[in-house]
Amino acid sequence: MADLDAIYNSKLLELAAHIPHCERLSNPDATVTAHSKLCGSTVTIDLNLENGVVTGFGQSVKACLLGQATCSVVGSHIVGARVEEVRQAGGQMRRMLKENGATPTGRFADLAVLEPVRHYKARHGSVLLIFDALERAIAEIESKQPGERASAESA
């Protein structure tokens, strides 16, 4: 099992102290709040998508150090990411934590700093909270698009 010092290290402290995109968006395509009953962490995100690419992102993070660090990494790399990249990163994080899978690659490779958390199941929820929120926001936006296209075509 990983030493607690491997989890609560200076890199994670630095990430948690500098969370980007903490300003909420004035006109988001979706706003989602995700809450972990286990640890009490809450993350609220605002998301804008255009042609399957994240064009705007804002977040309010009330989470433990691990949740804050995850939000920091995601916030640093989310704008400009394709929806597929966001979903892939969420899947990679779940496999890394729950199935002893490889660390994330690509745009979100910095999430590898959270690899030691895999040994602490009680902490998985706070690490995955941002991905739960992002995936719900993306699904919400995508569910609106067919109706918007149909009404635009009939106009």
Side-chain angles (χ1 to χ4, degrees), residues 49-129:
L49 292 179
E50 188 174 317
N51 298 319
V53 175
V54 176
T55 57
F57 178 75
Q59 60 184 340
S60 173
V61 181
K62 293 176 178 42
C64 67
L65 173 74
L66 300 173
Q68 290 175 23
T70 307
C71 289
S72 180
V73 172
V74 170
S76 294
H77 302 289
I78 189 83
V79 175
R82 295 184 321 277
V83 166
E84 299 81 30
E85 290 176 292
V86 175
R87 286 186 174 128
Q88 179 182 20
Q92 288 173 328
M93 285 299 290
R94 286 182 183 88
R95 286 187 297 280
M96 180 186 83
L97 293 173
K98 299 178 183 298
E99 301 169 12
N100 207 30
T103 59
T105 58
R107 178 184 291 270
F108 297 100
D110 290 346
L111 290 166
V113 71
L114 292 147
E115 183 178 20
V117 178
R118 72 169 42 143
H119 302 291
Y120 297 91
K121 292 183 186 205
R123 300 290 181 237
H124 292 183
S126 60
V127 171
L128 295 173
L129 208 54

